Amino acid sequence: TKKIAIFASGTGTNFVALVQQLQHWRSDVSIELLIYDRKQAAVHQRSQELGVPSVYVNFTKYADKSQAETAMLQALKQRHIDLILLAGYMRIVGPTLLNAYQGHILNIHPALLPAFPGAHGIEDAFKAGVKVTGVTIHFIDAGVDSGPIIAQETVRIDPTDTLATLENRIHQIEHQLYPRVVKELITEGVV
Ligand code: GAR
């Protein structure tokens, strides 16, 4: 069985899309765990509604990132997690997790990387006035939204777009692309 953990910090719409589209896809693929790092994050509520166990990691409780990640690693190992999907996880993954899950951590970013990395990819592209932006799925490395790109889908920015309408379209693409790419990678035995 392919056991998946999702890391998230916020609203959790990608978490929901992943759970809904992967959970019953194949009996040998299962979303085992949500790890979240903001106590009030809406994604926690969503995990409860969907019956996915969750672990809250309070980073302020640990001396440094490596200690927090050691605790995370313990939760992951306990559940025999094979694959980690970052879905709006607003931290840089450190060497403790990177080394343990090399090649088995994916991220989604709401822009066409390497353009507009960081926490505000949609807004940064909108403000820059580019006519095309999009969504990227990539393996992570030690950088911010960097690492080998797996898939990208473009989204046009129309003159009539507001930041809100653009955000909507990007999110819709995200919710289709991420589960689809994960399915393909699992099917091909890549992750
Ligand atoms: C998503 O748009 C995701 O691409 C982005 O955070 C949002 C989370 O939304 N991630 C990044 O910006 C990573 N740098 P969600 O909580 O509703 O899934």
Side-chain angles (χ1 to χ4, degrees):
T1 298
K2 179 78 56 193
K3 298 190 174 195
I4 299 174
I6 298 175
F7 288 13
S9 305
T11 314
T13 63
N14 281 285
F15 170 82
V16 171
L18 286 165
V19 172
Q20 287 181 341
Q21 294 177 59
L22 291 176
Q23 192 73 284
H24 304 292
W25 166 51
R26 263 168 54 169
S27 55
D28 59 346
V29 173
S30 140
I31 314 267
E32 296 279 312
L33 181 66
L34 165 73
I35 292 186
Y36 66 107
D37 65 336
R38 292 184 191 161
K39 204 169 177 50
Q40 303 303 329
V43 69
H44 176 225
Q45 174 85 37
R46 308 232 158 146
S47 72
Q48 289 182 315
E49 288 160 4
L50 290 166
V52 176
S54 63
V55 169
Y56 167 58
V57 180
N58 182 357
F59 272 71
T60 63
K61 218 183 70 182
Y62 299 94
D64 56 28
K65 180 178 284 184
S66 87
Q67 289 192 24
E69 289 194 342
T70 299
M72 293 162 84
L73 202 49
Q74 216 175 341
L76 295 167
K77 291 290 175 200
Q78 212 168 42
R79 290 173 175 79
H80 307 286
I81 299 297
D82 310 296
L83 176 63
I84 298 170
L85 305 176
L86 309 186
Y89 180 67
M90 293 306 191
R91 284 176 195 275
I92 299 162
V93 175
T96 305
L97 283 174
L98 265 179
N99 293 337
Y101 281 92
Q102 191 115 50
H104 297 274
I105 311 180
L106 308 183
N107 183 40
I108 184 164
H109 184 73
L112 293 178
L113 294 172
F116 309 114
H120 309 285
I122 305 174
E123 189 177 351
D124 291 346
F126 185 75
K127 286 187 171 159
V130 295
K131 300 301 173 199
V132 180
T133 183
V135 176
T136 302
I137 312 292
H138 64 101
F139 290 108
I140 66 157
D141 63 14
V144 178
D145 298 318
S146 60
I149 291 171
I150 300 162
Q152 291 184 310
E153 195 159 321
T154 57
V155 174
R156 293 193 54 84
I157 302 180
D158 300 321
T160 54
D161 266 321
T162 61
L163 179 57
T165 61
L166 178 62
E167 279 171 345
N168 259 319
R169 281 213 309 293
I170 295 261
H171 290 314
Q172 279 173 25
I173 299 289
E174 287 192 305
H175 301 159
Q176 295 165 14
L177 186 66
Y178 208 179
R180 197 173 78 217
V181 168
V182 172
K183 280 185 186 181
E184 283 170 9
L185 292 173
I186 291 173
T187 303
E188 291 164 6
V190 177
V191 293

